[in-house]
């Protein structure tokens, strides 16, 4: 089931790349394939026992036996929500692209290829397999920005590629270090988690963790490795930004809970305060710099640094075992994983809505618009809902995620309460954007602005609607995440 889920989009992408089909058929093929992936992931979710913390839908066959690498896939409570998020994000992108007229066939093929790489990473249970999908996603996003972006797209794509590729090399070095110390040598993730090969090797463990953190922090991104993110988002096409923010950023934070924390528990505990500090700085810096932006898309891009900072904070406090409050650490990790899902839904919707401004008027500048709610009430309504969700208002997924992160982190390290200021600044920046762009008399480029068309409000509405569902009925996600989060906390404490 998982192999079909991962490789179905790739097979269709290859077919679209080879067979010349009409533009409309290419778009509908992309939508149908992504819809089939949603159905497959839903089948896996429904068929899984939510109380099980281990792997399900598992498959393993030899791949490169000489180095202890196999084609090993499976899902648990950490990966299944992100697998579902990936499927939903790509469906939303396919719906939004139903009017795409710039080389629609290669566009659909590229994003189907990207979907396979993202799905593959979240089911990979082998470090080499993880690395292959990690790197291929970089290649796919590079072409998405460089061929379908705007502005200084070539420079932004190159910056993105160089930053993230260099990060991936550091990640590969960390993977090799884990395998070298394993006995027998292996790249199998469950085997490395069970053995924790560097436990008791403080110097080597610290160096390997440093390599892993560098590679994953660039992808997340955290301060100070975030500088590639704003230009990449600003010059990327709308659906490129949605995939980049909604899925690719999660590869970094997912690596924390899948690889770094359970395999290097000693080093994670030793570095926990450094990780916490990076998380708090990212929360505050991302929010403050977003507040200073006059470009609406760059503003949303910087909020990603802020929101992913909450994830880093949540996983960082899991290393504070001295207070011996397992419940608080479990809440923080559960909140961190929930935040990954929440950020993907909310920020994906925001980028879909902000992209409409550039598609209609060719600019994201907030000063170019005014009173947009008059001619475009559907756009204003959905943007307001997504903005309130992003600032953590109760009733949305962001509140569920951030409340758990703060509950766990403040209980374990009261000084982290300073990161609450990030919510206040986020509220200020979104309310400021709503006032400048949507309220008041209609002026500038807002005049005669066409409201959301069906494919635009359906795609964004799908993501906002799911953020509301998770906010109101959080157990849909939490019952799946919590057992796996508990297992990670136990591993870090060993």
């Amino acid at each position: 089931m998982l192999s079909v889920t991962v490789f179905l989009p790739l097979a269709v992408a290859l077919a679209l790349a080879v067979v010349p089909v009409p533009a409309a058929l290419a778009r509908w093929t992309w939508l149908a394939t992504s819809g089939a992936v949603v159905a497959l992931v839903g089948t896996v979710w429904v068929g899984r026992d939510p109380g099980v913390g281990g792997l399900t839908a598992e498959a393993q066959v030899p791949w490169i036996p000489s180095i202890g690498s196999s084609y090993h896939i499976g899902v648990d409570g950490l990966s299944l929500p992100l697998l579902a998020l990936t499927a939903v994000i790509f469906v939303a992108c396919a719906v939004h692209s139903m009017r795409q007229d710039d080389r629609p066939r290669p566009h659909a093929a590229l994003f189907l290829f990207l979907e396979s790489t993202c799905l593959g990473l979240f089911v990979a249970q082998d470090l080499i397999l993880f690395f292959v999908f990690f790197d291929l996603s970089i290649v796919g996003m590079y072409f998405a920005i460089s061929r379908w972006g705007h502005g200084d797209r070539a420079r932004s794509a190159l910056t993105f590629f160089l930053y993230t590729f260099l990060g991936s090399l550091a990640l590969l070095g960390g993977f090799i270090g884990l395998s070298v110390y394993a006995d027998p040598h292996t790249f199998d993730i469950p085997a490395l988690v069970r053995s924790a090969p560097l436990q008791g090797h403080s110097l080597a463990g610290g160096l390997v963790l440093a390599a892993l953190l560098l590679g994953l922090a660039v992808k997340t991104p955290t301060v100070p490795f975030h500088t590639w993110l704003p230009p990449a988002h600003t010059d990327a096409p709308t659906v490129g930004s949605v995939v980049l923010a909604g899925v690719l950023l999660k590869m970094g934070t997912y690596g924390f809970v899948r690889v770094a924390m359970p395999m290097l528990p000693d080093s994670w505990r030793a570095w926990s305060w450094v990780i916490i500090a990076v998380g708090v700085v990212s929360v505050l810096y991302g929010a403050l710099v977003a507040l200073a932006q006059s470009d609406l898309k760059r503003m949303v891009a910087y909020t990603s640094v802020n929101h992913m900072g909450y994830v880093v904070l949540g996983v960082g406090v899991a290393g504070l075992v001295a207070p011996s409050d397992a419940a608080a650490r479990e809440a923080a990790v559960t909140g961190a994983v929930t935040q990954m899902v929440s950020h993907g839904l909310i920020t994906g919707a925001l980028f879909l809505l902000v992209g409409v401004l550039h598609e209609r008027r060719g600019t994201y500048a907030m000063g170019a618009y005014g009173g947009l709610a008059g001619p475009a009430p559907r756009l204003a309504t959905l943007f307001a809902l997504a903005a309130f969700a992003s600032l953590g208002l109760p009733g949305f997924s962001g509140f569920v995620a951030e409340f758990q992160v703060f509950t766990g982190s403040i209980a374990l390290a009261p000084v982290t309460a300073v990161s609450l200021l990030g919510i206040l600044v986020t509220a200020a920046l979104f309310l400021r954007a709503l006032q400048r762009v949507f309220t008041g008399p209609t002026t500038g480029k807002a005049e005669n602005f066409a409201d959301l068309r069906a494919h635009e409000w359906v795609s964004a509405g799908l993501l906002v609607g799911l953020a509301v569902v998770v906010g109101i009925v959080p157990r849909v996600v939490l019952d799946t995440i919590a057992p796996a989060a508990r297992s990670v906390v136990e591993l870090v404490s060993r």
Side-chain angles (χ1 to χ4, degrees):
M1 180 72 75
L2 288 183
S3 293
V4 173
T5 303
V6 171
F7 293 108
L8 175 62
L10 178 60
V12 176
L14 292 173
L16 285 177
V18 172
V19 181
V21 298
L25 181 57
R27 299 188 200 101
W28 281 105
T29 301
W30 177 13
L31 179 58
T33 305
S34 295
V37 169
V38 170
L40 289 167
V41 173
T43 302
V44 174
W45 191 308
V46 171
R48 183 179 183 276
D49 182 354
V52 175
L55 293 175
T56 56
E58 192 175 4
Q60 184 175 14
V61 295
W63 184 31
I64 316 175
S66 59
I67 62 171
S69 179
S70 63
Y71 172 77
H72 188 185
I73 59 174
V75 291
D76 61 4
L78 300 176
S79 55
L80 187 55
L82 296 173
L83 195 72
L85 171 68
T86 301
V88 169
I89 288 290
F90 276 94
V91 161
C93 290
V95 172
H96 187 86
S97 299
M98 289 305 289
R99 299 281 292 272
Q100 163 71 23
D101 56 4
D102 181 10
R103 293 164 290 180
R105 184 168 62 90
H107 183 263
L110 178 64
F111 277 86
L112 284 169
F113 165 79
L114 257 176
E115 184 170 11
S116 273
T117 64
C118 297
L119 294 167
L121 183 136
F122 292 127
V123 303
Q125 297 298 325
D126 180 274
L127 292 180
I128 297 300
L129 194 63
F130 183 103
F131 180 77
V132 167
F133 287 122
F134 189 94
D135 258 15
L136 288 178
S137 69
I138 298 172
V139 175
M141 186 51 62
Y142 169 80
F143 285 109
I145 298 172
S146 62
R147 292 199 63 187
W148 282 274
H150 43 261
D152 196 0
R153 60 186 182 182
R155 180 183 178 87
S156 297
L158 182 61
T159 302
F160 160 79
F161 184 87
L162 291 178
Y163 260 85
T164 51
F165 186 69
L166 286 172
S168 75
L169 292 179
L171 190 66
L172 180 61
F175 288 171
I176 293 173
L178 286 165
S179 175
V180 165
Y181 276 85
D183 186 19
H185 300 316
T186 183
F187 286 95
D188 188 69
I189 291 176
L192 289 168
V193 168
R194 287 192 298 269
S195 63
L198 284 154
Q199 198 157 13
H201 301 274
S202 58
L203 177 59
L207 292 174
V208 170
L209 181 61
L212 295 178
L213 290 179
L214 175 61
L216 298 172
V218 170
K219 191 78 166 185
T220 298
T222 64
V223 175
F225 306 108
H226 68 286
T227 52
W228 62 265
L229 182 68
H233 270 310
T234 302
D235 297 331
T238 297
V239 291
S241 290
V242 174
V243 171
L244 181 58
V247 182
L248 264 63
L249 301 191
K250 311 305 174 296
M251 294 179 177
T253 49
Y254 175 71
F256 291 147
V257 295
R258 173 59 67 203
V259 178
M261 293 175 65
M263 294 184 192
L264 298 162
D266 285 351
S267 300
W268 190 267
R269 292 195 299 270
W271 285 58
S272 59
W273 276 110
V274 175
I275 298 165
I276 291 168
V278 169
V280 172
V281 170
S282 296
V283 166
L284 298 177
Y285 177 88
L288 289 170
V289 177
L291 181 62
Q293 301 305 307
S294 59
D295 182 295
L296 190 58
K297 198 175 188 185
R298 286 180 74 89
M299 185 200 80
V300 176
Y302 274 110
T303 63
S304 290
V305 179
N306 164 264
H307 285 97
M308 301 313 287
Y310 294 123
V311 179
V312 177
L313 174 60
V315 297
V317 297
L320 300 178
V321 297
S324 67
D325 191 343
R329 288 185 284 124
E330 181 186 330
V333 174
T334 302
V337 178
T338 308
Q339 176 72 348
M340 297 183 211
V341 177
S342 173
H343 175 266
L345 295 173
I346 296 167
T347 307
L350 285 169
F351 277 122
L352 287 173
L353 297 169
V354 171
V356 173
L357 301 182
H358 192 278
E359 291 165 9
R360 300 278 200 280
R361 294 292 188 261
T363 181
Y364 301 113
M366 287 188 271
Y369 302 90
L372 192 55
R378 289 193 294 271
L379 173 61
T381 300
L382 280 177
F383 187 90
L385 288 172
F388 290 139
S390 187
L391 61 88
L393 202 69
F396 294 97
S397 57
F399 174 79
V400 175
E402 292 170 17
F403 183 81
Q404 290 182 101
V405 170
F406 287 130
T407 298
S409 62
I410 294 173
L412 294 163
V415 70
T416 58
V418 69
S419 58
L420 286 167
L421 294 173
I423 296 179
L424 180 63
V425 179
T426 303
L429 67 91
F430 274 114
L431 292 175
R432 170 176 166 268
L434 282 167
Q435 288 179 340
R436 292 188 64 182
V437 177
F438 293 99
T439 63
T442 302
T443 59
K445 294 184 179 294
E447 294 180 356
N448 301 315
F449 192 96
D451 202 359
L452 295 180
R453 302 182 180 99
H455 67 285
E456 293 167 337
W457 68 259
V458 168
S459 58
L462 170 65
L463 301 183
V464 173
L466 287 173
V468 172
V469 169
V470 175
I472 295 175
V473 194
R475 288 192 61 181
V476 173
V477 175
L478 298 183
D479 284 352
T480 298
I481 297 173
R486 189 178 307 117
S487 298
V488 170
V489 167
E490 292 171 355
L491 289 168
V492 174
S493 304
R494 64 185 174 183

